[in-house]
Amino acid sequence: MSRSTPIYAAMRSIGAYVPPKILSNADLEKMVDTSDEWIVKRTGIRERHIADPDVATSDLAVEAARDAIARAGLEHEEIDLVLCATVTPDYFNMPSTACIISDKLGIRNVQAFDISAACSGFVYGLSIAKAFIESGMKRNVLLIGAEKFSSIVDYTDRSTCILFGDGAGAAVISATENRDEGIVDIHASADGSYADFLMTPAPGSVHPASCEVIEQGLQYVKMKGNETFKLAVKTLTKDVKEILEKNGIPAEKIDHFVPHQANYRIIKAVGDALKMREDQIIVTVEKYGNTSAASIPMAINDIYEEGRLRYGDLMLLDTFGGGLTWASALLPFAGKN
Ligand code: UT7
């Protein structure tokens, strides 16, 4: 490929993994003051998968990544950038989970780093992969969203513990000369003035690890759920409308609307605002809960494995999460079936 030829970034494959253990709403009823009825009505979630204590985020990621690399028809040595979107890294400071994943996959001597954008991490990562590929710096990017979210959940807090699950999704994003295969557009944004809507207060430079941090439970995720919900609906509706309008694509032309799986009511509200048909909207929240950065690639993998995702299908992704961060993307699937 000569440097004068325009290069596009194509999603060549998808893969995902969830740990086998299931935490059902009935299990949660025994742990906190909640009910299956409340959880299903307010969130759409019926169960989520939880990793065993000796399983790390990188272990989940590696399983998803192996499938994605194989489905892209690549050897591990052909990957030249490893990106891992996560807020539940193997180690909080260093090394990055992307480095651990690279080692476990036998991918050595290539650039590897983590992306911290909470639930928006995978779509943020897509924009990074696109920029690296279109600039000619990289050819095959392994992009992973992986979370062992259970490691930061307080299972005595009913307002958060019912929501989150563990899992990983991965995609290979590769260079192509075929414009029709390329990512069409990505919007990614943030507003740090809402930082306290969704956060883990410790450990970090503000609250380094200490006995007090543990006693106060500052290592657990805290969320202003209702405020986050309202802002998510408002922001996402505006964002997806903008990306469709900017690219002259009417909502009915989208084959698969793949929203972040935080709450069925958010997905439904945004879908309704776009006048999406039910068959266009991908919903997996009932079986995985909110898996943060893993939720979008896991949902894409679900429709891939069901045989519903075909080469050339147009996808609209949207996501919203801690930061606050949000993002949307328009892209065709450019993988083999
Ligand atoms: O992924 C990143 C982005 N995340 C999100 O977008 C999540 C957004 N937020 C949500 O999904 C929802 O706000 C929740 C599912 C977290 C909560 O639903 P809500 O309809 O916003 O409920 P609420 O927080 O306003 O609470 C309503 C009531 C409260 O009781 P009172 O004060 O009305 O007596 C809560 O204490 O529901 C109570 N409640 C529960 N009851 C039974 C909160 N959690 C539970 C629970 N079981 N698990």
Side-chain angles (χ1 to χ4, degrees):
M1 199 182 285
S2 92
R3 280 298 284 113
S4 55
T5 313
I7 304 170
Y8 304 97
M11 183 181 281
R12 283 278 178 234
S13 68
I14 193 77
Y17 177 77
V18 282
K21 193 193 288 172
I22 288 175
L23 182 67
S24 68
N25 290 352
D27 296 329
L28 286 161
E29 282 178 352
K30 294 178 203 135
M31 297 160 66
V32 289
D33 179 16
T34 191
S35 67
D36 173 59
E37 191 196 353
W38 191 95
I39 301 171
V40 172
K41 196 166 153 214
R42 297 292 181 115
T43 71
I45 302 168
R46 294 183 185 276
E47 57 188 37
R48 61 295 285 143
H49 290 247
I50 303 292
D52 283 335
D54 61 345
V55 171
T57 295
S58 62
D59 296 317
L60 307 175
V62 160
E63 298 294 333
R66 279 207 181 99
D67 275 357
I69 297 169
R71 288 169 178 172
L74 294 178
E75 300 299 329
H76 289 204
E77 307 81 68
E78 292 174 276
I79 299 293
D80 54 9
L81 174 62
V82 178
L83 301 174
C84 179
T86 186
V87 285
T88 49
D90 284 17
Y91 303 100
F92 261 95
N93 304 310
M94 58 182 141
S96 72
T97 306
C99 286
I100 308 278
I101 294 165
S102 302
D103 179 52
K104 287 181 178 175
L105 290 171
I107 299 171
R108 299 220 162 74
N109 303 318
V110 306
Q111 195 172 351
F113 61 94
D114 286 358
I115 299 157
S116 176
C119 305
S120 308
F122 184 81
V123 186
Y124 264 54
L126 209 53
S127 72
I128 297 168
K130 181 175 184 286
F132 267 100
I133 288 170
E134 289 179 355
S135 68
M137 285 176 71
K138 306 289 177 192
R139 294 196 51 85
N140 295 306
V141 179
L142 174 62
L143 170 61
I144 301 161
E147 304 282 9
K148 185 181 179 184
F149 220 91
S150 59
S151 64
I152 56 166
V153 166
D154 176 358
Y155 284 98
T156 64
D157 175 6
R158 70 175 183 172
S159 70
T160 53
C161 74
I162 55 138
L163 299 171
F164 297 100
D166 300 338
V172 172
I173 316 298
S174 295
T176 179
E177 286 181 19
N178 182 351
R179 192 180 174 165
D180 293 341
E181 293 185 328
I183 294 169
V184 179
D185 199 6
I186 302 179
H187 282 185
S189 200
D191 188 342
S193 66
Y194 295 106
D196 65 340
F197 272 36
L198 184 46
M199 73 185 315
T200 44
S205 61
V206 175
H207 301 293
S210 67
C211 293
E212 291 75 44
V213 156
I214 304 292
E215 276 160 21
Q216 292 168 34
L218 299 184
Q219 73 278 26
Y220 294 127
V221 65
K222 319 278 178 210
M223 180 166 70
K224 293 185 177 173
N226 198 263
E227 291 91 328
T228 308
F229 181 101
K230 287 180 196 148
L231 207 55
V233 172
K234 199 169 125 202
T235 309
L236 288 175
T237 303
K238 183 168 173 285
D239 203 48
V240 287
K241 278 186 176 165
E242 270 174 18
I243 197 170
L244 288 172
E245 266 167 39
K246 185 178 152 213
N247 292 282
I249 297 175
E252 67 263 24
K253 289 269 187 261
I254 299 297
D255 295 299
H256 310 286
F257 172 42
V258 190
H260 170 50
Q261 306 287 316
N263 186 318
Y264 178 68
R265 289 188 294 140
I266 299 176
I267 296 170
K268 175 94 173 66
V270 178
D272 285 352
L274 291 175
K275 300 193 172 57
M276 286 270 181
R277 300 182 313 274
E278 218 166 89
D279 65 285
Q280 289 175 287
I281 307 173
I282 308 309
V283 182
T284 60
V285 70
E286 75 278 7
K287 51 184 177 172
Y288 304 133
N290 182 347
T291 57
S292 182
S295 100
I296 286 183
M298 281 170 59
I300 298 173
N301 184 70
D302 257 41
I303 51 170
Y304 177 82
E305 292 195 347
E306 286 165 12
R308 290 167 61 198
L309 182 62
R310 314 295 301 177
Y311 175 88
D313 279 3
L314 185 58
M315 297 187 283
L316 170 63
L317 318 182
D318 88 30
T319 186
F320 188 87
L324 291 173
T325 55
W326 61 94
S328 55
L330 266 173
L331 72 161
F333 182 65
K336 295 193 187 82
N337 290 99

